[in-house]
Every structure is written in C-alpha cells, then in structure tokens.
Amino acid sequence: MRRGFLITTLSLLLVLGALFPESVWAFDTPPAEDDRPAVHVVAAGETLFSIARRYGVDATTLAQLNALPNPRQIYAGETLLLPLPEGYPRADWQSHTLALAESFGLLAQRSGFDWLTLARANRVLTPERVTLGQSILLPPQETPLTLHVASAGETRLTLALRQDLPYWQLAHYNPAPLYAGATWVAPGTATSSSLPYPITSLVLGPQPVTRGEATVLTLETAELADCSITYLDQTEPCYRQDSTHLFAFVSLSPMLDSGEYTVGLTVTYNGSEIALALPLIVAPGRFGYERIDVSGALSQLTDPSLMETERNALDAVADLRTQQRFWEAPLDFPVQAAISSYFGSRRSYGGSYNSYHSGVDFRAGTGTPVHAPAAGRVVLAQKLAVRGNAIMVDHGWGLITGYWHLSQIDVAVGDWVTRGQVIGRVGSTGLSTGSHLHWEMWVDAKPINPLQWVEPFFPFPPAISAEVIPAPE
Ligand SMILES: [Zn+2]
C-alpha cells in the first residue's frame, strides 16, 4: 500500500516534470516574510504566478490585494503591492486625518516607519498624492521615539549595542545605512537635545520628492541662527519666518536622475557653525512626450540659439532670493481653464526630444483675464521673440512666476500686485500655435512644476506658525 503510494507520487512528479519546464521546479527559496519588499515592479516576461512563487505568497491573495480585474493581465513596469508579513501590527493601528502641512513622509518619520512600509500598510501607491483630510492608519504611539544624529564611524550595529536594542528593531526604524550626520530614530524618552544645538527640530519633506518639484526644509532653533543648504553642487540660503524658524527649498530639475541624494545643512549661530547631511529620495514621476509642428514664420523662432539666448535672459531675471515672503500657500490658479500641456513633458520641435516643457499650458480664449496667484512685485513686462508678451512676478523667498504669449500686458516693471489682481490677458503671441496661457515658476532660480504649489496639501505652513516634528516627551 505504502509502496503503491510512492510509485503513484513518483509517476505524478514525472508527468508534472514533463508538462512544466524545469525552471518551474528550480526556483530560489522565497525571502523570509520580514525581508520581503513592500512592492514589486513587474519585469518583462513575469506573470502573477511567477511573482507569487518568487515571494512565497499566494497568487489569489496577490490578485485581491492589488484589485486586479484580470490576474492574467499585468504589465511590465506595473507596481504590485506584496502582502504584509504575518503578525504585522496593523490591527491596532489608529486612523489619523492628514492635517495642513503634514505629509506622508513626516507621518512616517513620526511613526518610526519608513514611508514605504507605511504606504504598504495604507495601500497607498503614491504617497506624494495623499491629500488634506485623508485618513491614514498609523501605529499607536505608545513607544516614544527620539531623533538622533549619527557621528562618524557609527553604524546601526554599534548604535543597537549602545542603545541595548535588538539590531532588527533599530534596522526597522532606520531602513537605510547610516553615515555621519544622518538622522536616525530609536525608541526612547531622551529629549530633543540629541539633535545638535541649536536645532530643536528639523524636517526635510515631503519625501520622496518627484523630479521637477520642490521639497521644503523646516528648521526650528533654540536661539537666533542662520542656515544654508547645499545639494547638487549648489548652495541656497534659508529664508527666515521668525526668530526661531527657518525654511529652505530643494527644487529639482525634471531631467535629474531619480535616486538617493544628500542635502547638506549648515547652521550658524553666535559665531559657531554645525553641519548635517540629510538624505533626499527623488522619485522619477511621469512625463509625456510632445511633438510640436511649427511652420512658416513661426519656425524661425525654434532656432536653438535664439531659444537659448531668451531662456538665459529669463533665468537671469528669475535669479532672485528676496528675503521677504509675499505669497501664501497654496497659490491660486492664474486662469480658470483646462490644462493642455503639463510641466516636464519631453518636447521635440521637429528634431529630437532634447528639451522639456518648462511650464503648464492652459487652453483659454484670447482676452481671458490672467490673475496674480499671489502677491508680489513685477520684475519683467515686455514683448519677447519666443514667449511673446511676457510678465514675471517676484513673490519673495526665491519664488518667481512667469506668464507668456499674452495678448495684453496690464502691469509695468516695479508694480506691486495683489493676489487675484488682473495682470494681463491670454493671447497667442510669440511661438504659439493657438490662444493659451503658459504659466512658469522658478524656485531659487530653477524652473519647477507650478501645479505642486496650487495643491491644497502643498507642504508649506500658513502665514504664522511652522510645522515641525514635535520634540519627544
Ligand atoms: Zn507652454
């Protein structure tokens, strides 16, 4: 009887072996649950079943988790959520409603989880799109966490030994390896004095930041201090909100490679100086491709040297770091109209896709009023070859906006404008194939996506108080 069973099993294996290719049987051992990544990006040739097998999970669970209408249809590049490990502490997590100036990254830092884990627990695929008022599940805050700064030579292992914590727990709170100046958290009740004096709190967020957008450094100090940040070989000033709050912007080109970068922070106070390095995660984002066909008299405006000369002239005007802030976040839209082209689209004027769209286009009829999205001072108001009738406004703290192809300019250089004031009229002057408003924005002299700044959850505080990590009790 027993022998008969063995023979049946063996012949079944032989039949299965003949039916399925060898690779089916020769897969690697799936990773342990705790080592399983949060998400899997589908590669060419993969199926839901091969992915499920790779991680040692059930294909049906995977299909349900990702709400796949047809498990046979997954595509390369698609991001799939992987199941939470057994015993994942989600049942006791509490709902938190996202408040003004809170970001997913900030909540993750407070909760002691990396954003990816928090995103997975909340089934959030794009944390940067989490909106004001949205509910997020967070672990209960029974364990107070303290923010520390790593010294040279310190590793997670040496810190775990010093803090008398299991290594896995420290690695759980600090998923990336440490380096001198990096911030790290550990359970504990020490005061924020673990941050180097005079810093009492420090946030660089939201993160990850999408290419072509800006993220904000928020710094609170115990006494009057100044600061500057250095990233991608450039140094930018911090802007002062009041005697203890400073802000700086990291604004990223849409052409930058996604990945991990470092932001250096230098704080000077009372004749002393401290320096920290903060991690910056840059997400790729999505950009379209646009082929623009121009003909006749317009085609001479696509001459690269003419375009570059005008571009450089405008960048020089936008190269301002006005120390006062005149704007309030979020900004208004300059016109109420449909968007016809987004920021960062790769563009070709008959040749290769070697440039990108440096603003947002709104389709609107000639004569439609253009409103200032925030208060500021006019720094350019003139007719240009490529951009037609153009206006630029300085809103302070390095924020400049531009308005191209206008049919009419209603302001002059030096004018102060208020939020909502009509500054000009939509048109189709310059290199334009139809009536529209091109809206451009610079932060610290770099063009970035204006739409980030009209979103209700733009991570900037209202006029008075600054949002900071609360000092642990
Ligand atoms: Zn445009």
Side-chain angles (χ1 to χ4, degrees):
M1 185 69 194
R2 194 185 169 89
R3 189 174 160 182
F5 172 77
L6 188 65
I7 291 169
T8 313
T9 310
L10 275 174
S11 38
L12 184 65
L13 281 174
L14 283 171
V15 170
L16 285 172
L19 282 174
F20 292 92
E22 192 184 20
S23 61
V24 171
W25 303 100
F27 56 85
D28 293 333
T29 317
E33 273 184 357
D34 288 343
D35 295 334
R36 192 190 293 151
V39 293
H40 175 80
V41 178
V42 180
E46 281 188 323
T47 67
L48 193 70
F49 300 95
S50 72
I51 295 164
R53 205 162 48 228
R54 175 170 167 181
Y55 294 108
V57 301
D58 175 53
T60 312
T61 309
L62 211 54
Q64 285 170 352
L65 178 59
N66 290 280
L68 298 175
N70 181 357
R72 295 190 188 285
Q73 281 179 7
I74 57 171
Y75 55 90
E78 184 177 7
T79 303
L80 294 179
L81 297 173
L82 297 174
L84 307 174
E86 199 64 47
Y88 200 82
R90 193 167 175 248
D92 62 340
W93 284 26
Q94 291 147 5
S95 178
H96 171 86
T97 304
L98 208 69
L100 191 68
E102 276 183 334
S103 69
F104 206 80
L106 182 69
L107 292 178
Q109 195 176 1
R110 276 182 191 166
S111 72
F113 282 81
D114 62 297
W115 68 268
L116 212 54
T117 306
L118 203 64
R120 177 166 68 166
N122 282 282
R123 308 279 185 255
V124 170
L125 272 180
T126 48
E128 66 267 38
R129 292 284 173 262
V130 170
T131 56
L132 189 69
Q134 192 168 332
S135 287
I136 301 290
L137 282 174
L138 291 175
Q141 298 288 298
E142 290 149 6
T143 318
L145 290 170
T146 309
L147 194 62
H148 303 266
V149 177
S151 310
E154 280 183 328
T155 67
R156 286 178 293 181
L157 189 62
T158 62
L159 292 170
L161 288 169
R162 198 172 81 202
Q163 300 270 321
D164 198 18
L165 290 169
Y167 173 74
W168 65 263
Q169 195 176 9
L170 208 79
H172 165 73
Y173 285 123
N174 305 282
L178 298 177
Y179 48 89
T183 51
W184 58 280
V185 290
T189 52
T191 65
S192 59
S193 63
S194 54
L195 277 169
Y197 190 86
I199 300 173
T200 53
S201 77
L202 174 64
V203 180
L204 179 60
Q207 289 208 47
V209 55
T210 305
R211 294 188 291 171
E213 295 193 349
T215 195
V216 187
L217 175 94
T218 306
L219 184 73
E220 189 184 50
T221 55
E223 64 172 89
L224 190 68
D226 283 310
C227 71
S228 64
I229 59 169
T230 302
Y231 63 99
L232 299 169
D233 299 327
Q234 71 194 67
T235 298
E236 294 296 337
C238 294
Y239 299 104
R240 173 171 303 288
Q241 171 96 349
D242 53 44
S243 60
T244 53
H245 292 98
L246 293 158
F247 295 88
F249 301 100
V250 174
S251 49
L252 303 170
S253 162
M255 308 302 266
L256 183 72
D257 288 335
S258 57
E260 194 166 346
Y261 293 83
T262 298
V263 175
L265 168 68
T266 304
V267 181
T268 52
Y269 66 102
N270 195 22
S272 300
E273 182 181 296
I274 57 159
L276 292 176
L278 308 166
L280 176 75
I281 311 295
V282 179
R286 279 188 189 180
F287 301 101
Y289 286 83
E290 295 171 3
R291 188 181 181 86
I292 309 226
D293 293 311
V294 286
S295 52
L298 279 183
S299 59
Q300 67 197 33
L301 292 176
T302 65
D303 171 42
S305 69
L306 174 65
M307 288 181 110
E308 196 189 333
T309 306
E310 194 172 298
R311 173 90 244 165
N312 292 344
L314 296 177
D315 283 346
V317 176
D319 194 9
L320 289 166
R321 311 288 190 283
T322 304
Q323 292 297 309
Q324 296 85 24
R325 173 163 70 103
F326 313 118
W327 52 273
E328 295 288 340
L331 269 62
D332 291 333
F333 279 94
V335 287
Q336 291 298 327
I339 291 170
S340 52
S341 173
Y342 287 89
F343 175 88
S345 301
R346 274 48 171 160
R347 279 198 162 173
S348 153
Y349 289 93
S352 59
Y353 290 93
N354 54 3
S355 63
Y356 68 90
H357 187 219
S358 56
V360 176
D361 288 346
F362 298 90
R363 192 182 294 119
T366 295
T368 305
V370 175
H371 302 268
R377 196 171 59 90
V378 177
V379 288
L380 180 138
Q382 69 179 81
K383 186 175 176 63
L384 300 168
V386 180
R387 287 159 183 83
N389 292 321
I391 298 173
M392 286 170 72
V393 180
D394 174 15
H395 303 282
W397 280 24
L399 179 71
I400 316 289
T401 54
Y403 309 82
W404 316 150
H405 311 301
L406 302 171
S407 58
Q408 185 183 317
I409 296 175
D410 293 339
V411 288
V413 171
D415 284 358
W416 285 93
V417 296
T418 56
R419 182 181 186 131
Q421 182 181 332
V422 174
I423 54 174
R425 306 277 168 173
V426 175
S428 187
T429 52
L431 177 53
S432 168
T433 53
S435 183
H436 76 287
L437 173 71
H438 171 110
W439 186 30
E440 188 143 336
M441 182 179 287
W442 291 259
V443 169
D444 291 336
K446 286 177 298 300
I448 61 153
N449 184 4
L451 293 185
Q452 186 195 15
W453 291 60
V454 296
E455 286 169 350
F457 54 96
F458 180 73
F460 198 79
I464 303 165
S465 67
E467 174 69 25
V468 292
I469 295 181
E473 268 92 46

